[in-house]
Amino acid sequence: MSIKNVSGNKVFGGWHKQYSHDSSTLNCAMQFAIYLPPQVASGAKVPVLYWLSGLTCTDENFMQKAGAMRMAAELGIAIVAPDTSPRGDDVANDDGYDLGQGAGFYVNATEAPWNKHYHMYDYIVNELPELIEANFPVTDKRAISGHSMGGHGALVIGMHNPERYTSMSAFSPICNPINVPWGQKALTAYLGTNKETWEAYDASELMRKATNFLPVKVDQGGADNFLEEQLTPEALKQAAEASGYPLELNIHEGYDHSYYFISSFIDEHLRFHAEHLAK
């Protein structure tokens, strides 16, 4: 559980810090960022929002571009942003941006060579929270959110583990990966060709069959270049209607897939999570 501080910046009365550690789950060194709001300076323990980023991102994208720390400071919420995959010279990779390092898809890989390192699902659900709760002044109250590939990860992890999270949300998630090119490429590589095994990592399939509901908020840009081919929020909407899942899905006309979109609505997501973290 040893961690090493890499950097630190004071912001809105709290601290943004980066840490590295050796992950036993991923069998490599990993880096994560954490924002600790000013409330911890007076001895308070705060709840945590875990943010999962999208393809090609690291822990830095959300922390530097989303503008989330002002509201997190006001609400008294810590934010943890892990990397999007295992990394290192001996970690399997691919020439494409949508597979390998930077594209872990938050699954537990079963196929070689990926299965040696690519267990991002277990890392996010188990190892990282244990590390955070052992080393920082936080409670065991957790929420989860993410963008694109990370939105897929947040919804899948939240629905598989409703007892571990108070709420989940997503920006522009890959809603039905078993039926879109990004998902089919990654799931074939990481899990093999048996498509039945893919369904455990498909938010629409999980939502369609769900009986234990978690509060969920999804925002999607109407001018997103990936909307129809890769993201397919209509599949998630239909799945929610089939099971009665209380999905809040908002389509925002004119917004794209970028952090301009995320920064426009991140405060609403933080307030949404704060409401449920307080219960």
Side-chain angles (χ1 to χ4, degrees):
M1 285 293 189
S2 175
I3 61 175
K4 179 181 179 181
N5 183 229
V6 176
S7 69
N9 307 90
K10 192 165 187 179
V11 53
F12 297 116
W15 284 90
H16 164 269
K17 295 185 177 184
Q18 289 176 302
Y19 290 87
S20 63
H21 73 104
D22 291 326
S23 169
S24 59
T25 302
L26 303 177
N27 298 306
C28 66
M30 288 294 287
Q31 183 167 290
F32 66 87
I34 183 168
Y35 177 67
L36 294 168
Q39 289 82 354
V40 304
S42 59
K45 288 189 173 183
V46 297
V48 182
L49 173 66
Y50 288 86
W51 173 269
L52 308 184
S53 289
L55 289 167
T56 75
C57 292
T58 69
D59 64 284
E60 295 183 344
N61 297 73
F62 176 79
M63 291 300 201
Q64 294 182 8
K65 296 180 179 180
M69 286 179 271
R70 182 192 297 273
M71 183 56 65
E74 180 180 322
L75 296 171
I77 297 174
I79 301 175
V80 171
D83 203 346
T84 52
S85 77
R87 295 184 192 265
D89 293 340
D90 64 338
V91 175
N93 202 7
D94 186 84
D95 290 337
Y97 74 94
D98 51 359
L99 185 68
Q101 295 187 36
F105 264 82
Y106 306 101
V107 305
N108 287 335
T110 58
E111 300 297 301
W114 312 102
N115 55 354
K116 181 179 179 182
H117 297 285
Y118 284 75
H119 298 112
M120 286 297 294
Y121 178 94
D122 281 350
Y123 177 71
I124 299 299
V125 173
N126 298 311
E127 184 177 8
L128 185 60
E130 290 175 8
L131 190 72
I132 297 300
E133 290 164 21
N135 287 279
F136 299 98
V138 300
T139 71
D140 61 359
K141 285 286 193 102
R142 313 175 195 96
I144 191 163
S145 186
H147 172 233
S148 195
M149 177 186 72
H152 138 78
L155 296 178
V156 166
I157 288 172
M159 282 188 282
H160 272 304
N161 302 277
E163 76 288 350
R164 291 184 64 84
Y165 303 96
T166 64
S167 50
M168 59 183 177
S169 73
F171 288 86
S172 316
I174 305 171
C175 294
N176 192 204
I178 67 174
N179 288 317
V180 301
W182 276 343
Q184 290 168 342
K185 179 178 180 178
L187 297 175
T188 299
Y190 296 142
L191 304 177
T193 57
N194 182 356
K195 293 185 178 182
E196 290 185 5
T197 65
W198 299 4
E199 294 182 2
Y201 297 105
D202 187 293
S204 295
E205 293 296 317
L206 294 174
M207 191 166 283
R208 184 179 302 278
K209 301 171 184 176
T211 57
N212 191 349
F213 300 155
L214 196 64
V216 55
K217 178 180 177 66
V218 174
D219 283 277
Q220 171 64 58
D224 192 318
N225 290 338
F226 304 112
L227 179 58
E228 294 183 5
E229 182 181 17
Q230 305 283 12
L231 306 179
T232 61
E234 187 63 28
L236 194 68
K237 180 182 178 182
Q238 293 173 359
E241 291 171 349
S243 65
Y245 212 107
L247 169 67
E248 178 189 341
L249 173 62
N250 305 298
I251 307 296
H252 302 275
E253 293 306 320
Y255 287 90
D256 60 15
H257 198 69
S258 72
Y259 270 86
Y260 292 111
F261 171 49
I262 295 171
S263 64
S264 297
F265 297 98
I266 190 62
D267 285 0
E268 293 182 11
H269 281 242
L270 288 167
R271 291 190 188 100
F272 166 78
H273 291 297
E275 176 184 350
H276 295 287
L277 286 165
K279 293 180 179 178

